[in-house]
Amino acid sequence: MTEWFQLMNDGPSFLRFDDRVRWLSSEYTLAHGHATAIVHEYDLVKAHRRMG
């Protein structure tokens, strides 16, 4: 997941969840479900860092 999170950090700064899923899915030819899971985990980690 570390590599995916780095790609998310370096990629375009979309604000909407769905936009980030679509970008990740199309840019790296991932299934929609896999891209959704990556973006969801990325958001959880970022939220945890802000709170902790």
Side-chain angles (χ1 to χ4, degrees):
M1 290 302 279
T2 304
E3 292 91 5
W4 288 115
F5 290 175
Q6 188 61 48
L7 291 171
M8 295 288 295
N9 282 332
D10 295 341
S13 57
F14 295 117
L15 296 178
R16 295 188 52 210
F17 184 90
D18 291 340
D19 293 337
R20 290 182 282 147
V21 169
R22 275 194 289 279
W23 170 77
L24 195 60
S25 181
S26 66
E27 187 73 19
Y28 298 100
T29 58
L30 292 173
H32 180 79
H34 290 134
T36 300
I38 291 167
V39 174
H40 178 70
E41 284 297 315
Y42 177 79
D43 286 349
L44 287 175
V45 169
K46 281 183 65 174
H48 186 266
R49 285 186 191 151
R50 275 185 255 149
M51 294 186 72

